[in-house]
Amino acid sequence: MKLGVLSKSDNEEIHNQIIVQIAELINVKNLEPGDKLPSERMLSEKLDVSRSAVREAINKLVFYGLLKSIPQSGTFVANIGVTAMNGMVEYILGLGDPDFKSLVETRILLELKIVKLASLRRTEEDLVNIKKALDAYEEKVLNGEDAVQEDLLFHLAIANTCGNSTLNGFMLKITPEIITNFKKYHVCGDELTVEAIKEHKQIYEAIKNRETQKAREIMKVHFKTLYQYCYNIK
């Protein structure tokens, strides 16, 4: 089936159509786990779309574990079974872009677990990295500069300490979108940043002292404004 040429605003639609076509190819050809897909060039020609569009669709399927990409070798069907794959494709196609509130809510849920793990697993090197991020944030705030990026880098330093690459990966995934939209939605006022320095320092000390429950409680207090934003709490 030819997809034709779509405008830039139709990127999501074209990616979804490519995903459907790849799933149909796997079904029609009875491809088994470990079987190799046609190259990006061949799929691009077959579907009459750009190679970049094919690449984006494949990357999405790789992200969700339906395909495996091996450098210099190609793209292969993952070992999950055709029934599961077809069901997952349906759910993937139904996903929209996450709204900002969903991203913030996800961040809260992740970080309350992450900070406890970081308190348990931190090394001396981890503490150095967290402190470096903390100092960079404090410097920006005290100079009256926008410190949203430094704030999130402090939290990413904690995520990198938790010893769970999946949790850390989720944080890395959602952080760019949060940075982009933080000011747009006026989540935190400038008057809260000095108080945030104090909370950051308390979080750091709790992690340093391996006080897992205290670290979680301070993080929860730190997220008070985010809770209010997500759940309309007064």
Side-chain angles (χ1 to χ4, degrees), residues 5-62:
V5 179
L6 301 178
S7 67
K8 185 176 181 180
S9 63
D10 293 323
N11 275 344
E12 190 66 28
E13 180 182 347
I14 195 172
H15 294 158
N16 285 344
Q17 290 186 53
I18 294 170
I19 286 171
V20 169
Q21 291 297 297
I22 291 174
E24 288 182 359
L25 174 68
I26 293 171
N27 282 284
V28 171
K29 297 291 186 181
N30 292 317
L31 297 182
E32 299 288 339
D35 286 348
K36 187 176 181 179
L37 262 62
S39 67
E40 288 180 4
R41 180 183 60 80
M42 291 179 66
L43 287 172
S44 172
E45 293 175 355
K46 178 180 178 63
L47 302 178
D48 193 23
V49 295
S50 67
R51 290 182 64 174
S52 63
V54 171
R55 190 176 304 115
E56 286 295 322
I58 288 175
N59 286 342
K60 194 169 187 178
L61 291 173
V62 169

Side-chain angles (χ1 to χ4, degrees), residues 79-102:
N79 187 23
I80 67 166
V82 173
T83 300
M85 181 201 71
N86 290 334
M88 287 185 68
V89 164
E90 184 177 344
Y91 285 121
I92 290 169
L93 296 177
L95 286 174
D97 289 334
D99 61 89
F100 183 63
K101 187 172 286 189
S102 295

Side-chain angles (χ1 to χ4, degrees), residues 57-194:
I58 288 175
N59 286 342
K60 194 169 187 178
L61 291 173
V62 169
F63 176 79
Y64 288 110
L66 302 186
L67 299 176
K68 293 184 68 175
S69 181
I70 302 177
Q72 310 302 321
S73 297
T75 305
F76 302 83
V77 179
N79 187 23
I80 67 166
V82 173
T83 300
M85 181 201 71
N86 290 334
M88 287 185 68
V89 164
E90 184 177 344
Y91 285 121
I92 290 169
L93 296 177
L95 286 174
D97 289 334
D99 61 89
F100 183 63
K101 187 172 286 189
S102 295
L103 290 169
V104 171
E105 184 175 43
T106 301
R107 178 190 171 190
I108 292 171
L109 294 172
L110 288 174
E111 289 210 57
L112 291 179
K113 183 64 177 179
I114 283 171
V115 75
K116 290 185 70 174
L117 293 176
S119 302
L120 287 171
R121 299 171 178 173
R122 100 291 186 281
T123 65
E124 292 302 314
E125 182 180 356
D126 291 327
L127 290 176
V128 170
N129 291 332
I130 296 172
K131 185 62 165 59
K132 182 179 178 181
L134 170 58
D135 291 343
Y137 173 73
E138 182 176 14
E139 181 180 359
K140 276 289 188 75
V141 171
L142 295 181
N143 286 336
E145 301 176 60
D146 179 17
V148 170
Q149 295 178 60
E150 286 72 19
D151 178 30
L152 287 168
L153 286 174
F154 170 76
H155 289 273
L156 285 177
I158 295 173
N160 196 51
T161 300
C162 77
N164 185 311
S165 60
T166 301
L167 289 175
N168 193 20
F170 280 137
M171 281 293 293
L172 289 169
K173 174 71 175 174
I174 67 176
T175 293
E177 196 70 25
I178 290 176
I179 290 176
T180 302
N181 289 288
F182 214 77
K183 286 292 184 181
K184 175 182 176 182
Y185 289 94
H186 307 289
V187 177
C188 296
D190 294 336
E191 71 279 0
L192 298 176
T193 53
V194 175

